[in-house]
Amino acid sequence: MNLFKRNKDPLTPEERNAIIEKSSKQVGPGVFYSTIIVVTSFLPVFLLTGMEGKLFHPLAWTKTFILLIDAFLAITLTPVLISFLLKGRLKPESANPITRTLEKIYTPILKFCLRWRKTTIGINLIALAVGILMMTKLGSEFMPPLDEGSLLFMPVTLPDVSNSEAKRLLQVQDKLIRSVPEVSHVLGKAGRANTATDNSPISMIETIILLKPKHEWRKGMTKDAIINELNAKLQIPGITNGWTQPIINRINMLSTGIRTDVGLKVYGQNLDTIYAFAQTIKKQLEGIEGVKDLYVEPITGGKYIDITIKRDEIGRYGLSVDDVNAVIEIALGGMKLTTTVEGRQRFSVNARYGQDFRNNLQALKRLQVQTMSFGPVPLEAVADIQLSDGPPMINSENAMLRGTVLFNVRERDLGSTVEEAQKKLNQMITKLPKGYFLEWSGQWENQIRANKTLTMIMPIVLVIIFMVLYFTYHSFKESFVTMITVPFALIGGVFMVYFYGVNLSVAVAVGFIALFGMAIETAMLMTIYLNEAMENMVAKHGNSKETLTPAIIREFVIEGSAKRLRPKLMTVSVGLFGLIPILWATGVGSDIMRPITIPLIGGTISSTIYVLLITPVIFEMIKERELKRKGRVELIDVKE
C-alpha cells in the first residue's frame, strides 16, 4: 500500500513488469475456464441440423472465434499494452468515485439480504415457481415468423378446371386484391413453366402480393388484418384460399414437401381410400382455433380422355394402330415440322389442329382418318372415345402413395394448435387399416427435430460445464452452488419472453443458451472473489471455531462481494447496452434477432441480481454450517 503514497515514479520498470506478470498469471486460469464454459454452452447450437442449423451455425462460430481470440489477446497483448500505457502514480480501487458510489448503494442492500436470509431465498424461490408457471403458459413454434413485406396467395380450385377458367379466376382475384389500399403490386400465375422442377397443376394459382411500407397503411391495420380482409373478399365458390409468404413457402416446400405451415401426410396403397381418409381428417380439424386455410390436396377428380382403338374396325379399313395414333398425335399433341435457327438459338416448329377441331368430345370424334380404299372416316368409327376420372397428380414418398391434409396456423402458436389437433385425431383414430399410416410434417416436423436435438444434448452440456467448474474449484459443493445460478438466471428471461408475448422457438432457445454461459461465468467470478475473501479472513483470524464468528464471516463475505463491483457491473452494462437497441430494430432480420435478445436481456438482469445478492447469502450459510459442523471453514484451491 506504500506504493500508492509515493508522489511520482513509484515503481521501477522491473517492479512494474513483475506486478503485471503476477496479475496476468492470476487472471489467466479464470479467462481460460470461463471461455471453455461459454463455448461449451453453445454446443447445442453447433449440433442443430436442417434449416435451424444453417441459420444459427454462423452465429455460434462467430461467437466462438471471438471468444477464443479475445482470450488469446487478454493473456498476450493486454499485459504488453499495460506495460507501455500504465504509467505514473497508481490509485487504489476505492479512490474511484464510481466505485465508491456503487459500493454505497450495494453494501446496505447486501447487508439487508444477509440479515433476512431466509426471506430473501424464499422470495427467489417464489419468483422461480412463478417463472416455471409462466414457462408452461408460453406458446411454441419452430421459428419466429419473418416479415417478408409481401404475401403469397395460393388458392386451390377443382382439379378439372380448364385453362380459360383458370385465366378468368386469376384476373378476377388480382382485381379484388388490388382494391385493398395496402397492396402495392399483384402478380399472379396459374400452372407452371416448362420445367419439371415446379410441379404445379393448372388448378393451383400462385399470386405474389407486394405490400406498401407500413407507414402508408391505414391506421390500426396489421398484416393479419390485411389477410383477413383479402380472404373475405376472395370467397369464390369451388376455391380454397391459402395464405403464406413467398420465401418461407419455398423453404417449406424444399425442406418438407409441404407448402403450408403444417401438413398431415396420409400414406397408403389406394388413392381413393387415401383421399376419403384425408377428407375425414379434414372434418375433424375444422373448428380448431388457429387452423386456417384447411384443405385436402386433390388426388382424385382429374379428367382424362380415353381413346381405345377398335382393332376389328381398323382391320376392315386397312389401317394399323400406328396410323390411328399418328392422326391423334398430329391433331392433339402436334407434329414437329422443322427447326428454325435464329442466331445461336434453335426453335422447333410444330403444327396441330385448331382449337375448334379439338376442344370437345364431339369434335374429337369427328377427326378424319384417311384410309386407302374408303376415303376419310371419322375417328369414332375406328376408336371408342370417352371421358374417365383419374388422379390429377400422383404423389409418392418412400415408394408409398401419399395424400396430404394441409393448413396454416394464424392468430395462435403452432405448438398448441398441432397438439390440440393431434389429441382430437387420436380420439377419432384408434386403429388404421393395414398399410395405412399418418405422419405430421411441415414446420412441426422441424420443431420436433430441433427439440429432440436440444433435449438430447443439454444434459451432456450440463455435465461438461459441471466438470469444468470442478476443475476450477476442486470442490463439488462450490460447483453445485454455481450451477444452481442457472435456473434463477432464467427467471428474468422467462419473464421478459412472457410479457413480450413471444412464443418459445429455436431462436428463443439460442438466446437462453447464450444466457446460460454468461450466468455461469458471472457466478464463477463471484465465487472466486468470495473464496479469496475467506483466505484473507483465515490469514487474519485463523481457521477455527474459537477464533471465527458469524459476524467475522459476514464481514469478509461483504468485502468479497463488494470487491471489484465496478468491473462486474461494467461487464453486464456493456452487454445490455449492446443488446437493448435490438428491441427497437425494424429492419430485415429483426424478427429473428429480437427473440434471441429478449431472454438475454431479462436473464442478464436477473442473473446479475442473483449473483450480487443471493450468491453471498448462500455462501455465508454454507460457511457458517461448515464452521458449526467441522469447526473450520473449507478453503478451496482456486485461482482467478
Side-chain angles (χ1 to χ4, degrees):
M1 294 299 291
N2 290 332
L3 297 175
F4 300 112
K5 295 178 181 176
R6 298 180 188 177
N7 292 325
K8 59 181 180 178
D9 298 326
L11 297 172
T12 64
E14 291 75 20
E15 288 174 327
R16 185 183 301 277
N17 289 340
I19 291 174
I20 293 171
E21 184 183 346
K22 182 184 174 186
S23 303
S24 299
K25 286 179 179 176
Q26 193 179 26
V27 172
V31 172
F32 176 73
Y33 286 120
S34 61
T35 303
I36 288 180
I37 285 175
V38 178
V39 171
T40 306
S41 69
F42 261 76
L43 195 57
V45 183
F46 284 114
L47 295 179
L48 289 175
T49 58
M51 188 168 66
E52 64 276 17
K54 290 174 184 170
L55 189 64
F56 290 113
H57 282 173
L59 173 72
W61 281 113
T62 305
K63 188 174 174 66
T64 302
F65 280 123
I66 288 174
L67 283 171
L68 293 175
I69 292 173
D70 176 55
F72 178 74
L73 292 178
I75 59 176
T76 56
L77 181 63
T78 307
V80 176
L81 291 178
I82 290 173
S83 68
F84 283 122
L85 302 176
L86 199 64
K87 304 286 186 185
R89 185 169 172 269
L90 299 176
K91 294 180 180 178
E93 181 74 12
S94 58
N96 189 302
I98 297 175
T99 304
R100 287 203 305 272
T101 308
L102 289 174
E103 286 185 1
K104 277 183 184 174
I105 298 171
Y106 171 63
T107 307
I109 299 173
L110 179 61
K111 284 180 179 175
F112 179 83
C113 292
L114 289 170
R115 192 181 308 127
W116 301 95
R117 293 184 302 196
K118 291 182 180 175
T119 308
T120 306
I121 293 174
I123 291 171
N124 270 269
L125 289 175
I126 291 170
L128 181 64
V130 173
I132 293 170
L133 185 66
M134 284 181 171
M135 180 78 95
T136 60
K137 301 290 182 185
L138 291 173
S140 67
E141 61 193 1
F142 170 57
M143 292 289 281
L146 182 67
D147 185 5
E148 299 173 19
S150 55
L151 296 172
L152 180 63
F153 178 48
M154 294 185 72
V156 176
T157 182
L158 298 175
D160 54 352
V161 67
S162 66
N163 288 355
S164 56
E165 180 63 11
K167 181 181 172 185
R168 189 189 70 81
L169 283 173
L170 193 61
Q171 289 176 322
V172 170
Q173 288 170 346
D174 287 358
K175 194 173 180 181
L176 288 170
I177 292 169
R178 189 66 185 85
S179 65
V180 174
E182 283 74 19
V183 174
S184 174
H185 290 90
V186 185
L187 174 67
K189 79 170 180 71
R192 64 176 173 86
N194 189 20
T195 169
T197 56
D198 189 4
N199 55 349
S200 306
I202 192 71
S203 60
M204 194 174 78
I205 296 170
E206 292 182 359
T207 302
I208 295 175
I209 305 166
L210 298 182
L211 300 175
K212 292 178 181 174
K214 284 189 178 177
H215 66 270
E216 295 181 24
W217 292 5
R218 284 169 288 171
K219 193 176 179 182
M221 286 299 283
T222 62
K223 202 166 186 179
D224 281 344
I226 294 171
I227 291 174
N228 290 336
E229 186 176 334
L230 286 168
N231 198 45
K233 284 191 171 191
L234 293 165
Q235 292 300 318
I236 300 173
I239 295 179
T240 305
N241 295 341
W243 297 94
T244 178
Q245 298 184 95
I247 297 174
I248 192 66
N249 171 261
R250 294 299 171 196
I251 293 172
N252 285 341
M253 288 182 78
L254 287 172
S255 60
T256 64
I258 297 297
R259 58 176 175 264
T260 53
D261 293 341
V262 185
L264 185 55
K265 297 177 179 174
V266 184
Y267 294 92
Q269 308 294 332
N270 182 281
L271 283 176
D272 291 331
T273 309
I274 291 173
Y275 188 69
F277 197 58
Q279 287 289 357
T280 308
I281 291 172
K282 175 178 173 283
K283 284 182 184 173
Q284 292 297 318
L285 297 179
E286 285 173 351
I288 294 178
E289 186 188 351
V291 173
K292 308 285 183 183
D293 314 331
L294 176 65
Y295 69 98
V296 175
E297 192 172 38
I299 53 173
T300 61
K303 298 294 183 184
Y304 293 87
I305 299 172
D306 279 345
I307 302 176
T308 309
I309 297 173
K310 302 173 185 172
R311 293 177 180 271
D312 295 341
E313 296 297 330
I314 62 173
R316 291 196 187 95
Y317 290 112
L319 295 169
S320 66
V321 172
D322 282 346
D323 294 335
V324 179
N325 281 342
V327 171
I328 296 168
E329 182 188 354
I330 293 167
L332 300 181
M335 183 178 69
K336 183 178 177 182
L337 299 179
T338 183
T339 302
T340 64
V341 180
E342 297 180 13
R344 299 182 64 183
Q345 291 182 308
R346 291 170 180 268
F347 300 95
S348 62
V349 178
N350 288 15
R352 63 173 172 173
Y353 283 19
Q355 276 280 356
D356 293 340
F357 296 96
R358 57 183 170 83
N359 62 358
N360 60 64
L361 214 55
Q362 292 307 316
L364 291 178
K365 287 179 180 178
R366 288 196 297 270
L367 287 176
Q368 298 296 300
V369 181
Q370 189 65 37
T371 63
M372 293 294 288
S373 309
F374 304 94
V377 297
L379 182 61
E380 64 178 336
V382 293
D384 290 328
I385 305 170
Q386 59 185 0
L387 286 175
S388 63
D389 293 329
M393 185 168 63
I394 299 175
N395 292 322
S396 73
E397 201 169 315
N398 295 327
M400 296 282 289
L401 292 175
R402 189 200 78 186
T404 42
V405 183
L406 303 168
F407 64 90
N408 288 313
V409 177
R410 288 198 298 274
E411 299 168 9
R412 190 181 176 186
D413 68 284
L414 182 75
S416 63
T417 306
V418 175
E419 283 171 5
E420 185 180 342
Q422 286 179 330
K423 192 176 176 183
K424 199 168 181 181
L425 288 182
N426 289 338
Q427 289 173 350
M428 181 198 81
I429 305 166
T430 53
K431 191 176 180 182
L432 288 171
K434 188 177 180 182
Y436 290 80
F437 63 94
L438 303 178
E439 184 181 275
W440 289 86
S441 186
Q443 290 198 26
W444 176 252
E445 184 182 343
N446 295 331
Q447 185 174 338
I448 293 293
R449 184 188 62 239
N451 289 346
K452 192 176 177 183
T453 304
L454 293 174
T455 309
M456 183 183 68
I457 197 63
M458 281 309 290
I460 300 172
V461 171
L462 288 174
V463 171
I464 294 173
I465 290 178
F466 188 84
M467 288 173 65
V468 173
L469 288 172
Y470 177 74
F471 286 129
T472 308
Y473 298 141
H474 303 288
S475 165
F476 282 110
K477 192 191 299 175
E478 304 294 340
S479 306
F480 179 74
V481 170
T482 306
M483 285 292 286
I484 61 172
T485 307
V486 175
F488 291 97
L490 299 183
I491 293 174
V494 173
F495 274 53
M496 283 278 285
V497 169
Y498 183 85
F499 288 113
Y500 257 82
V502 177
N503 293 323
L504 291 175
S505 63
V506 177
V508 174
V510 170
F512 275 117
I513 287 168
L515 171 65
F516 185 79
M518 287 172 61
I520 293 271
E521 186 184 15
T522 316
M524 188 173 79
L525 292 176
M526 174 59 92
T527 308
I528 289 173
Y529 291 142
L530 287 171
N531 275 290
E532 198 177 318
M534 289 297 103
E535 288 177 1
N536 294 337
M537 178 189 75
V538 169
K540 185 175 180 181
H541 296 282
N543 192 3
S544 69
K545 194 184 285 186
E546 288 73 27
T547 57
L548 293 177
T549 63
I552 294 174
I553 292 176
R554 179 164 298 182
E555 177 192 341
F556 280 87
V557 165
I558 293 172
E559 180 192 312
S561 305
K563 190 178 181 183
R564 300 182 189 177
L565 181 63
R566 184 170 59 94
K568 286 177 201 165
L569 291 177
M570 278 175 63
T571 308
V572 173
S573 302
V574 167
L576 286 177
F577 290 151
L579 292 170
I580 285 175
I582 299 175
L583 291 179
W584 289 278
T586 55
V588 177
S590 60
D591 302 294
I592 300 291
M593 289 305 296
R594 202 176 297 118
I596 299 176
T597 310
I598 288 171
L600 259 176
I601 292 175
T604 303
I605 295 171
S606 65
S607 69
T608 306
I609 294 172
Y610 178 85
V611 167
L612 291 178
L613 299 179
I614 314 304
T615 302
V617 170
I618 296 175
F619 189 85
E620 185 192 66
M621 292 172 75
I622 291 173
K623 294 305 167 189
E624 284 185 7
R625 182 180 166 85
E626 287 173 2
L627 185 66
K628 188 176 179 182
R629 295 186 64 181
K630 300 179 181 177
R632 57 190 292 274
V633 295
E634 292 181 1
L635 299 176
I636 59 174
D637 181 20
V638 58
K639 298 293 182 188
E640 184 187 349

